[in-house]
Amino acid sequence: MKKAIKLPRNKAMMITLTVVMLAAALLAVWFFASPVLEQQRRAEHQAALLESITTGDGTITVNDRYAAEEVDFYDDGPQAPAVEMIAFLPEIPLTVEAAEEQPQESGGNVITGIGVLTIERIDAVLPVAEGVSSAQLKVALGHVPQTAAIGDTGNAVIAGHRSYEYGQFLNRLGEVELNDIILYQPKDGEEMRFIVDEILEIVPGDQVAFEQPEDNAQITLYTCTPIRTATHRLLVRASRII
């Protein structure tokens, strides 16, 4: 009968320490890689939505796990955008819960794109979805459905995240200047041109973001500012010229 081999105490401790350190290293790599992988997935979904708006039916399906995940690389401020929009638009008949609901298919949320917004100044070509639910804003900008239709008389509010990743979503919106041109290509229709005529910062909930002009077709891009602290909201307003 063979006797069990006993390792010297110091050697056993070294092996245990090595295993613990290896596990810690693997855990650190996972924590680092996870946000990077999530950003990559969101970029892939955004590209797919742009392609669908341009050449397909304008919709993509995003799995439920992805849609429900909370991420820390966006500026959301003290409230999620959908909640904030509903809370400060008194004429909206919907509840917060209704605003957050998304059409679903088996296995995921359906994101419906309605057009593409292009801001040459900041090299942005972004899909625009109808609605401002969390799932939609992880993939696209969102048109607040209770505001004017984009291109119609009134103020069409378009909300978007300000990603920590340079060049993502409305990350560079602060670089836009007066008289810059913003293009909007609806999925079915002719391209529209808007010229930036107002840039301002407001506190969350300020009604000025949703004022509706009676004789002008304008868009208001709406995001958080400053990046990471997100104590205020940055508005870039542009009036339709064509």
Side-chain angles (χ1 to χ4, degrees):
M1 183 175 181
K2 295 182 178 180
K3 294 182 179 180
I5 299 175
K6 293 185 178 180
L7 294 172
R9 184 174 180 182
N10 288 345
K11 191 171 183 179
M13 290 179 64
M14 286 292 294
I15 292 174
T16 301
L17 181 61
T18 300
V19 171
V20 170
M21 292 177 66
L22 180 60
L26 290 173
L27 188 61
V29 169
W30 184 85
F31 275 117
F32 173 78
S34 182
V36 173
L37 292 175
E38 290 307 318
Q39 285 181 319
Q40 181 179 345
R41 290 175 64 199
R42 282 163 173 76
E44 290 171 352
H45 279 93
Q46 186 181 96
L49 184 58
L50 279 169
E51 178 69 18
S52 183
I53 293 171
T54 304
T55 63
D57 63 1
T59 65
I60 63 170
T61 300
V62 177
N63 67 63
D64 290 329
R65 174 179 174 274
Y66 163 85
E69 285 169 347
E70 294 299 325
V71 294
D72 61 359
F73 44 80
Y74 293 130
D75 278 342
D76 281 325
Q79 303 185 82
V83 177
E84 181 175 303
M85 295 294 179
I86 298 303
F88 296 108
L89 279 175
E91 72 275 16
I92 296 178
L94 302 178
T95 63
V96 171
E97 291 76 13
E100 286 283 4
E101 289 179 358
Q102 279 287 94
Q104 292 193 358
E105 291 182 352
S106 177
N109 290 63
V110 177
I111 308 298
T112 301
I114 59 173
V116 178
L117 191 82
T118 300
I119 310 174
E120 185 176 349
R121 166 78 66 179
I122 58 174
D123 300 317
V125 180
L126 300 166
V128 180
E130 183 63 30
V132 289
S133 73
S134 296
Q136 289 168 308
L137 292 182
K138 289 174 182 176
V139 176
L141 305 182
H143 170 241
V144 182
Q146 294 82 5
T147 61
I150 300 173
D152 286 357
T153 298
N155 176 22
V157 179
I158 302 173
H161 282 303
R162 201 164 193 187
S163 173
Y164 299 161
E165 185 72 17
Y166 183 79
Q168 295 294 312
F169 288 91
L170 295 179
N171 171 277
R172 298 177 59 194
L173 189 63
E175 298 175 33
V176 171
E177 299 179 0
L178 293 175
N179 299 316
D180 281 353
I181 298 297
I182 297 175
L183 305 178
Y184 177 71
Q185 176 64 61
K187 183 183 182 320
D188 299 307
E190 296 182 357
E191 182 182 77
M192 306 175 192
R193 295 171 62 87
F194 297 82
I195 186 168
V196 175
D197 50 23
E198 186 177 18
I199 300 172
L200 65 158
E201 290 186 12
I202 62 171
V203 295
D206 191 328
Q207 289 293 294
V208 71
F210 308 104
E211 290 178 347
Q212 296 292 317
E214 298 180 356
D215 57 357
N216 185 25
Q218 68 179 197
I219 56 174
T220 297
L221 304 184
Y222 181 108
T223 194
C224 297
T225 198
I227 293 176
R228 294 187 183 274
T229 55
T231 56
H232 290 69
R233 301 294 178 260
L234 173 63
L235 306 185
V236 171
R237 280 217 169 104
S239 296
R240 186 173 180 181
I241 53 178
I242 298 178

